[in-house]
């Protein structure tokens, strides 16, 4: 059976359930503001900065199998717009619900005869340890699900110009004249021909020089 790893009652995300007791139906409501732990969100994309305040509204209910925790976490997330790369802030509200099981009870709330029989199922469960429950893994999962995978500063953000990198939302009329590379060589040839014609008209070309020389003779 997998238990929570050495919970510390001094940890702000660890809660004591002793007052709740093991009487089904007993209820406890809690509010607490805690500092966000490290890497709280989608790393490299958006998340709650370490140490930022996280407001928790919790409802702890005693049930046959353990303690059912229902709650909401509120905080301010920071990240970067995936379109224009500008920094952004977003109010986060993550709802969660998790059952923390008694180590000595099975799914029906009865004493477990063989704790090792359901080892695979236990890997996906959280347990109460000496009357303590740790909410950090639950909060992390809830925050990741509540945050956008591709955050944007605004829904109609146009991103950056692919040619010069200017932010298009700041310059809606920004554009570049497109030149088809297939015609670039012909445009160069046309330019050379035009220059030749101008030389002939101005008398600076080689034929004009020959004509002038014959005329002098």
């Amino acid at each position: 059976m997998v238990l929570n790893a050495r919970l510390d009652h001094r940890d702000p995300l660890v809660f004591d359930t002793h007052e709740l007791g093991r009487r089904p139906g007993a209820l406890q409501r809690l509010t607490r503001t805690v500092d966000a732990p490290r890497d709280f969100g989608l790393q490299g994309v958006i998340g709650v900065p370490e140490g930022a305040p996280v407001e928790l509204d919790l409802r702890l209910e005693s049930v046959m199998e353990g303690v059912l925790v229902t709650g909401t976490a509120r905080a301010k997330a920071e990240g970067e717009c995936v379109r224009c790369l500008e920094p952004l802030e977003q109010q986060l509200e993550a709802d969660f619900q998790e059952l923390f099981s008694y180590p000595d009870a099975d799914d029906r709330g009865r004493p477990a005869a063989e704790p090792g029989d359901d080892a695979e199922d236990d890997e996906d469960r959280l347990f109460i340890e000496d009357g303590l429950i740790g909410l950090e893994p639950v909060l992390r999962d809830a925050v990741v699900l509540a945050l956008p995978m591709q955050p944007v500063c605004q829904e109609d953000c146009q991103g950056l110009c692919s040619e010069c990198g200017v932010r298009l939302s700041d310059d809606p009329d920004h554009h570049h004249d497109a030149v088809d590379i297939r015609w670039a060589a012909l445009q160069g040839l046309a330019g050379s021909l035009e220059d030749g014609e101008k030389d002939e008209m101005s008398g600076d070309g080689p034929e004009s020089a020959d004509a002038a020389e014959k005329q002098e003779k």
Side-chain angles (χ1 to χ4, degrees):
M1 182 174 294
V2 180
L3 301 180
N4 295 327
R6 300 301 298 268
L7 297 179
D8 185 350
H9 69 278
R10 296 169 296 182
D11 187 329
L13 288 175
V14 171
F15 294 82
D16 194 330
T17 66
H18 284 101
E19 292 185 10
L20 189 64
R22 295 185 64 161
R23 181 172 56 85
L27 188 66
Q28 186 177 13
R29 295 184 183 275
L30 299 171
T31 58
R32 182 180 295 183
T33 300
V34 302
D35 292 340
R38 187 177 180 181
D39 299 329
F40 202 50
L42 298 169
Q43 192 170 4
V45 181
I46 187 171
V48 181
E50 183 178 1
V54 180
E55 299 177 2
L56 299 176
D57 291 329
L58 304 175
R59 181 177 182 268
L60 280 62
E61 182 180 2
S62 179
V63 296
M64 290 292 293
E65 300 90 345
V67 175
L68 181 66
V69 180
T70 305
T72 301
R74 298 180 181 87
K76 182 180 292 185
E78 297 179 1
E80 187 178 82
C81 177
V82 296
R83 297 179 186 170
C84 69
L85 308 181
E86 288 292 315
L88 59 83
E89 292 184 350
Q90 177 179 317
Q91 287 299 129
L92 166 71
E93 184 168 310
D95 297 323
F96 55 90
Q97 186 175 70
E98 189 69 37
L99 174 65
F100 289 81
S101 302
Y102 295 123
D104 58 350
D106 65 10
D107 292 339
R108 293 172 294 283
R110 301 178 302 191
E114 298 292 339
D117 287 348
D118 298 325
E120 293 183 1
D121 293 338
D122 290 345
E123 291 180 358
D124 298 328
R125 297 167 62 186
L126 294 174
F127 292 90
I128 301 171
E129 179 185 327
D130 296 330
L132 302 177
I133 58 176
L135 278 185
E136 183 171 336
V138 177
L139 283 178
R140 285 188 179 278
D141 291 345
V143 166
V144 168
L145 291 175
L147 288 172
M149 297 294 292
Q150 294 186 323
V152 292
C153 58
Q154 54 190 24
E155 290 300 326
D156 59 348
C157 176
Q158 300 180 44
L160 302 176
C161 174
S162 60
E163 294 190 31
C164 66
V166 70
R167 189 168 182 262
L168 297 177
S169 296
D170 296 335
D171 187 4
D173 297 327
H174 179 81
H175 71 281
H176 294 271
D177 293 331
V179 177
D180 193 328
I181 60 174
R182 295 172 298 179
W183 296 101
L186 293 178
Q187 289 178 347
L189 179 59
S192 299
L193 293 176
E194 290 178 358
D195 292 341
E197 291 177 356
K198 290 179 181 178
D199 290 342
E200 291 179 1
M201 293 177 63
S202 63
D204 295 335
E207 294 180 0
S208 299
D210 293 342
E213 184 178 353
K214 291 179 180 179
Q215 189 173 11
E216 289 179 358
K217 290 180 180 180

